[in-house]
Amino acid sequence: MKKKTKQILLWLFTACVLVFAGLLLSFPNSSRLVLCLVTGTLPDSSHVSRIRSDLQGQKGFIAMLVKHEQLTLQRFYESGNSFSVKKYIHKTPTSMFDIHAFHDYWEVWVRTDIVNGKPLTAYLVRLGMVKDVNAETFFRDQCGDNVCKWVMPAMIGVYNRMFDWGIFKPVRLNITELDETSSVSRKRLDLQEWKKQVGKMHGNGRGVSFMNFPA
């Protein structure tokens, strides 16, 4: 290989390292997730714990769970029905992924069981690091300037193409209120399996009541 070619490759490699280092410093959480996509590895469980902590720190998220518990208790007193499962759509800021001034809408499944007269509640948020063509328009429309409106869809477009070319493999973050029922895998947690798992756990008296959750 010619000396000039080696120098060019070295400069390109150095530039890539510097850019990636900058991304790690500016976007530590999202960069770590993208690194897993690049290397074909699964993220560790710390990402699940971090997102769970962020969600449970949102007053609106806890209020949604408490309301579900209250309605289930009311139904229990009126009809004796001891459990309730419902899907909610929760609007959340994406600051947990280092992307500030943006928001997303997440599907949240909530199940409450009345055990010994008290509610035990579980929730399931299934996040996917997968191809999403709708994200290009969704996040572009949240941009506040023309530079963002061009850069954001371009970045998401490249991300989507990586799945088309087989470079990225899907990653699923199945987030629940407890470590034991959460998981990181290639597959989305089956909803019926989750309901069965939660029903068994609550039946044994194990679970969380968000009515008494610290504010």
Side-chain angles (χ1 to χ4, degrees), residues 69 72-73 112-115 117-121 208-211:
E69 287 183 334
T72 306
L73 265 175
T112 294
D113 291 271
I114 307 302
V115 181
K118 297 181 179 180
L120 294 178
T121 298
V208 179
S209 175
F210 288 94
M211 292 178 73

Side-chain angles (χ1 to χ4, degrees), residues 19-39 41 43 46-47 50-51 94-100 129 139 152 155-156 159 168 171 173:
V19 169
F20 186 68
L23 289 173
L24 284 175
L25 291 173
S26 302
F27 306 96
N29 296 315
S30 53
S31 292
R32 286 169 57 202
L33 288 170
V34 171
L35 183 59
C36 289
L37 289 175
V38 172
T39 59
T41 58
S46 66
H47 290 284
R50 175 176 56 80
I51 296 170
T94 54
S95 53
M96 65 184 73
F97 296 113
D98 316 307
I99 306 174
H100 303 280
M129 295 168 65
F139 288 107
M152 181 62 74
M155 290 176 59
I156 297 175
Y159 166 87
F168 288 173
V171 172
L173 302 177

Side-chain angles (χ1 to χ4, degrees), residues 156-171:
I156 297 175
V158 171
Y159 166 87
N160 284 331
R161 298 297 86 71
M162 291 296 185
F163 286 101
D164 291 337
W165 299 331
I167 298 174
F168 288 173
K169 295 181 180 179
V171 172

